[in-house]
Amino acid sequence: MCWKHVDEEACTFTIHDCLSLLVSSRWYGWEGKGGKERYYTSRPLYKRLDRVLQHYLRTSEFLYSMMRLKKGVLERRNESHLFGLLVEARRYMSLFQHHDGVTGTSKQHVMVDYGQKMFMAIKNCEQIILAATDFLLRNVSAKDVPPKPSIFMEEIRSAYDSSPEKRVVTSASTLIVFNSLGKKVAKTICVHVKSLNVVVHAASGPSDIVPQQISPVVQFIDGQWNISATLFELKPFQLCFHAVIPPVSFRKYLIRSGSPKLKATIRVNFSGVQNSNFVIEPLREFAFGNGLITAAFDPVTGHLKVCEQLWLLI
């Protein structure tokens, strides 16, 4: 996804892909004196980072290939520089997939080195994605080495062992979503915005209605969920909308000032929460369903209470 300030001619870009397609079904494992060590049961931070890197690497390879095929003037120095970043990212991902890295059985200082190298690989992929997107959308190749595109990633990663932070989007910005799959993708995308009074429009025209909802950003602070009035005032809001992206395509959305289309309703199981921007209601038993299964949850514990299978009689 990309957002662009009209005045500053800068934007951010976030790739949206199907991570499930990149998750291997292979079951990595080792059995020894310490018991069973399986892929999904040890050091999940590094294994999640591995999946994110696969996600970024696939998209960077795809966009780099599209950039090479597109007619236009591509600086030879930049082409070589970006390809070098791509090769290095591939090597660092392959290094982690050594059997001790991928199973999580290496010593701590070795795992730290794996994490730092995967973080560098993600940063390499970000450079490729931004430069290729800038070239594909504007047919402009930066002459600087490394290239300095006018777009930025929507997620900010500062270290391998810290969670990514969302960049706060202002009004008069442009969001660009890229779908690297060979099929149409429909998904909900959420961005952080500074103001409550913003809406999102499709760049294709006002007739293309975009379902959307704005809500507060709630954080887990000091062992409890913080949704106080002070948090609403200091933190940005979260704007979520439903995006439909054709296969192997970019799609633009515009963030503009305006009355919000739909505000979220806050439901809590404790008292003392007040805010004039959103409706606050007590949390009762809630359920989710998809037409085949309905699951009900306890409002106090959050545990599954009832699960019913729906039968279709023909």
Side-chain angles (χ1 to χ4, degrees):
M1 177 181 308
C2 157
W3 64 271
K4 180 169 67 176
H5 290 292
V6 174
D7 297 332
E8 300 177 1
E9 287 297 323
C11 63
T12 62
F13 180 92
T14 296
I15 50 178
H16 288 276
D17 208 336
C18 289
L19 281 175
S20 58
L21 297 180
L22 304 176
V23 177
S24 173
S25 59
R26 181 179 176 184
W27 188 255
Y28 300 93
W30 171 82
E31 294 184 19
K33 294 182 179 179
K36 293 185 178 181
E37 290 286 345
R38 294 300 187 182
Y39 185 86
Y40 294 103
T41 58
S42 61
R43 289 178 167 140
L45 169 68
Y46 297 93
K47 293 161 185 178
R48 168 61 181 169
L49 195 63
D50 173 46
R51 297 311 189 197
V52 172
L53 175 55
Q54 291 183 49
H55 176 48
Y56 274 68
L57 185 58
R58 180 186 184 276
T59 303
S60 60
E61 289 176 335
F62 199 96
L63 288 175
Y64 178 81
S65 300
M66 292 175 64
M67 179 179 62
R68 290 289 306 275
L69 293 173
K70 183 178 175 64
K71 294 181 179 180
V73 179
L74 180 63
E75 289 290 329
R76 182 66 180 177
R77 294 180 303 166
N78 277 332
E79 180 182 339
S80 300
H81 174 74
L82 295 176
F83 185 72
L85 295 177
L86 186 61
V87 171
E88 187 177 61
R90 289 169 176 168
R91 289 173 177 171
Y92 286 162
M93 187 185 72
S94 299
L95 177 65
F96 177 77
Q97 292 180 347
H98 175 269
H99 67 90
D100 278 346
V102 80
T103 57
T105 57
S106 298
K107 293 184 178 180
Q108 181 59 28
H109 70 277
V110 178
M111 294 301 296
V112 170
D113 183 63
Y114 284 145
Q116 292 172 344
K117 282 183 167 54
M118 285 193 290
F119 175 72
M120 292 173 59
I122 289 177
K123 289 300 181 182
N124 287 357
C125 292
E126 287 182 356
Q127 288 190 49
I128 299 169
I129 291 169
L130 297 178
T133 302
D134 204 21
F135 178 78
L136 291 170
L137 294 182
R138 301 197 304 161
N139 200 25
V140 174
S141 177
K143 296 183 179 181
D144 300 322
V145 178
K148 298 179 181 179
S150 60
I151 56 180
F152 306 96
M153 301 298 291
E154 184 244 349
E155 282 189 346
I156 304 173
R157 293 181 178 271
S158 57
Y160 79 93
D161 56 352
S162 62
S163 300
E165 297 180 358
K166 280 185 170 291
R167 195 183 300 270
V168 179
V169 180
T170 61
S171 58
S173 300
T174 300
L175 304 174
I176 301 177
V177 185
F178 175 65
N179 174 23
S180 64
L181 300 181
K183 62 179 181 180
K184 181 174 69 174
V185 172
K187 67 179 303 179
T188 300
I189 296 175
C190 296
V191 295
H192 286 183
V193 294
K194 285 186 176 181
S195 173
L196 177 66
N197 298 315
V198 294
V199 293
V200 58
H201 302 285
S204 56
S207 59
D208 192 357
I209 300 175
V210 180
Q212 56 195 276
Q213 175 183 276
I214 194 165
S215 61
V217 175
V218 182
Q219 290 186 335
F220 193 69
I221 302 175
D222 296 331
Q224 61 182 356
W225 291 104
N226 192 332
I227 51 176
S228 64
T230 304
L231 181 66
F232 291 137
E233 296 171 0
L234 298 179
K235 297 297 180 180
F237 298 94
Q238 179 171 265
L239 177 63
C240 297
F241 62 95
H242 184 70
V244 180
I245 311 102
V248 194
S249 302
F250 292 97
R251 190 74 185 270
K252 289 186 178 182
Y253 293 90
L254 309 176
I255 300 293
R256 296 292 183 263
S257 299
S259 300
K261 302 289 185 181
L262 178 64
K263 292 183 180 180
T265 299
I266 303 172
R267 293 182 173 89
V268 296
N269 59 0
F270 53 89
S271 59
V273 178
Q274 296 180 355
N275 186 266
S276 59
N277 292 325
F278 298 91
V279 176
I280 300 176
E281 298 179 352
L283 178 64
R284 300 181 177 86
E285 182 178 302
F286 57 97
F288 299 100
N290 61 0
L292 300 176
I293 296 177
T294 299
F297 297 85
D298 187 279
V300 177
T301 63
H303 295 166
L304 179 64
K305 189 175 182 180
V306 178
C307 184
E308 296 180 346
Q309 184 175 3
L310 304 179
W311 298 93
L312 179 62
L313 300 179
I314 301 178

